[in-house]
Amino acid sequence: MPVIFNLLESSEPVPIILNVLEAVGPVPVILNVLEAVGPVPVILNVLEAAGPVPVIWNILAVTEPVPVISSILEAAEPVPVISNILEAAGPVPILFDFRVPGRSDSKHSMHHISLAVLLALHSPLFVQGNDFKVVGPITQHFQDWLAKNGYTDDFVRADHAVTQGSYGGKTDDGQKVTKTPVIFIHGNSDAALRQGFGHNDMIGWENTIDYFQKKGYTSAELYATSWGDTNSAYASSRTHDCATTMRLRRFLEAVIAYTGADQVSLVTHSMGVTLGRKIVKGGKIGAEDGACDVGIPIRNVDVFVGLAGANYGLCNCEGEGVMSPTCNKQDGLWPGDSCGMNVLDCGLTVLPFPCDAPIYSKFLTDLNNDFQQEAKRVISAWSDSDDLIMYGTITWGKSTCLIPRSSDKKTKELTYDDQYNWVNRIN
């Protein structure tokens, strides 16, 4: 029996529960999704399965129906399936063939789980289990404080796996802040916390926050909110725009005021490094979405950790790469197309000609020419084998990950214990 759901600009997840009682044939489910803004979780509770079979579609855009066929035979544990579908112009039929253990018409072994998912643009993510080590969002106590103090930003970000779009806050008025609060800013296409368990799912700051908590930190001392979305197909469209930068600045100001702490520390990653530097330094931005003034510098930052940031741009953005919004010359990651007589070869370890003061992204140039330190201690850290930045992280003869005037620089494979040690000044 087909079930049809029409989702018209749904702003919240739409849970669908089907109880399948010894179904021997396909159970077709058709989703006609028009501009769904959040994930559409579908939970199938199959009688013969030992647990529920959750299926989540984050539907953003395909031009033709996308059939998803799943044959589940006596699943020993929950089988979550996550698919990213881009711009569905018509119905998205999903067929589940549930066969009862012991039936003669079962074509497969009773302990076999067969999953065939046909997608137009993205491969499905087959995962085992769905237990998050860290669960958000920001606490109700923090949400109430934000509302009372006039903040209207969506810092919760319930569109990110419901609970995983943010983290932090006190549980009640009696909870004390005894450690220096730490604010985490993720990179392009990532999120505050883990979004799922597929091989392409972003994990956000899950491991770091989990480690900090094991070392005695509480939610009252650890904060994160998501910016942007986790769709990597849109990664090349993101910039240091006013909307994103100003929102993160307000989050930083809110945490400082809410905790009442004398100082805070920031741990930032990838594009979050340059966004984080700007919200601390303040000043004006001329961006693709207009001009804005971030405000005066915030001077009570104890430690600023920048992990794999593109402080001098990305060599993949030189030349034709500048056509992507994220590579633009105003508020993007354009590294410049030449330096001296060197042209379109910014990633060379050894440049053939002398190179001095290349012209690159105005946003990054202004950021790097501001001699106001981000914090009392600034740490730049990266891996020379970074598979996103590439070129050994080199941009015109120096590592783009090196924040100017850093107190320390580390070139190693980064782990959450390093971040804990740096923030706590252990090494």
Side-chain angles (χ1 to χ4, degrees):
M1 180 175 183
V3 183
I4 300 177
F5 302 92
N6 282 321
L7 306 177
L8 303 179
E9 296 189 10
S10 171
S11 59
E12 295 182 353
V14 180
I16 304 162
I17 300 177
L18 300 179
N19 241 347
V20 181
L21 305 177
E22 298 193 351
V24 292
V27 180
V29 180
I30 297 179
L31 301 179
N32 192 15
V33 180
L34 304 179
E35 296 186 20
V37 249
V40 182
V42 181
I43 297 181
L44 305 175
N45 194 16
V46 185
L47 208 67
E48 271 64 36
V53 184
V55 185
I56 298 179
W57 288 273
N58 192 14
I59 301 181
L60 303 171
V62 262
T63 55
E64 294 182 7
V66 180
V68 181
I69 302 174
S70 177
S71 178
I72 300 175
L73 305 177
E74 199 174 356
E77 54 187 20
V79 182
V81 180
I82 300 176
S83 304
N84 278 324
I85 302 174
L86 301 184
E87 220 156 3
V92 182
I94 298 110
L95 301 181
F96 296 90
D97 191 0
F98 299 101
R99 300 180 183 276
V100 181
R103 291 286 180 91
S104 60
D105 56 358
S106 293
K107 299 179 181 179
H108 307 284
S109 163
M110 290 300 96
H111 297 286
H112 178 71
I113 300 175
S114 171
L115 179 66
V117 183
L118 307 178
L119 296 175
L121 298 177
H122 286 274
S123 296
L125 305 175
F126 180 77
V127 295
Q128 299 285 345
N130 60 349
D131 293 327
F132 296 117
K133 286 194 292 185
V134 178
V135 178
I138 56 176
T139 64
Q140 190 61 51
H141 188 275
F142 188 20
Q143 293 180 47
D144 292 343
W145 182 92
L146 288 166
K148 181 179 179 181
N149 286 274
Y151 289 90
T152 58
D153 301 270
D154 177 15
F155 292 138
V156 174
R157 293 302 301 270
D159 56 317
H160 281 25
V162 184
T163 64
Q164 303 304 96
S166 58
Y167 187 81
K170 303 174 186 177
T171 55
D172 53 51
D173 289 336
Q175 189 172 11
K176 304 299 181 183
V177 176
T178 61
K179 301 180 185 296
T180 297
V182 183
I183 300 163
F184 301 93
I185 304 178
H186 65 78
N188 195 344
S189 300
D190 205 345
L193 296 174
R194 179 185 288 277
Q195 298 298 293
F197 295 85
H199 66 279
N200 286 333
D201 278 319
M202 298 299 181
I203 66 171
W205 297 103
E206 179 184 74
N207 289 335
T208 301
I209 290 176
D210 180 58
Y211 186 85
F212 273 59
Q213 288 178 327
K214 289 175 180 176
K215 291 290 187 177
Y217 278 77
T218 69
S219 64
E221 298 148 347
L222 302 170
Y223 294 85
T225 186
S226 299
W227 62 269
D229 59 57
T230 58
N231 189 343
S232 58
Y234 298 152
S236 63
S237 69
R238 302 191 183 99
T239 64
H240 302 90
D241 59 274
C242 282
T244 300
T245 308
M246 295 301 294
R247 178 178 172 277
L248 289 175
R249 168 72 175 220
R250 289 189 291 272
F251 186 70
L252 172 59
E253 292 173 339
V255 171
I256 293 172
Y258 173 68
T259 60
D262 294 332
Q263 59 185 11
V264 295
S265 291
L266 276 74
V267 178
T268 63
H269 174 243
S270 188
M271 196 168 175
V273 176
T274 41
L275 284 168
R277 291 178 62 201
K278 188 61 182 178
I279 66 174
V280 170
K281 285 176 173 287
K284 297 179 179 180
I285 300 177
E288 295 285 296
D289 61 342
C292 54
D293 190 339
V294 180
I296 63 173
I298 292 179
R299 302 185 184 275
N300 57 339
V301 180
D302 183 36
V303 178
F304 185 101
V305 178
L307 309 173
N311 299 287
Y312 293 95
L314 295 174
C315 286
N316 285 333
C317 283
E318 68 178 349
E320 294 182 3
V322 78
M323 296 173 65
S324 298
T326 197
C327 293
N328 82 79
K329 299 179 179 181
Q330 186 70 20
D331 63 340
L333 298 172
W334 181 58
D337 291 339
S338 64
C339 184
M341 295 178 63
N342 303 286
V343 179
L344 298 180
D345 52 9
C346 84
L348 292 181
T349 303
V350 179
L351 294 168
F353 304 102
C355 169
D356 183 34
I359 297 174
Y360 59 106
S361 162
K362 185 179 187 307
F363 175 89
L364 297 178
T365 299
D366 291 346
L367 199 61
N368 294 335
N369 287 344
D370 181 351
F371 283 78
Q372 169 70 35
Q373 285 289 86
E374 290 81 359
K376 297 172 186 174
R377 186 186 186 194
V378 179
I379 296 172
S380 300
W382 66 91
S383 165
D384 288 331
S385 59
D386 192 299
D387 61 358
L388 176 61
I389 296 176
M390 302 175 64
Y391 304 101
T393 77
I394 294 297
T395 301
W396 300 120
K398 59 179 172 291
S399 174
T400 191
C401 300
L402 180 61
I403 299 172
R405 299 167 293 280
S406 292
S407 311
D408 303 89
K409 62 179 180 178
K410 311 286 183 179
T411 54
K412 60 177 295 186
E413 300 305 316
L414 303 170
T415 58
Y416 38 81
D417 55 330
D418 292 319
Q419 298 165 40
Y420 173 85
N421 291 338
W422 293 334
V423 165
N424 288 277
R425 295 178 174 269
I426 295 174
N427 59 28

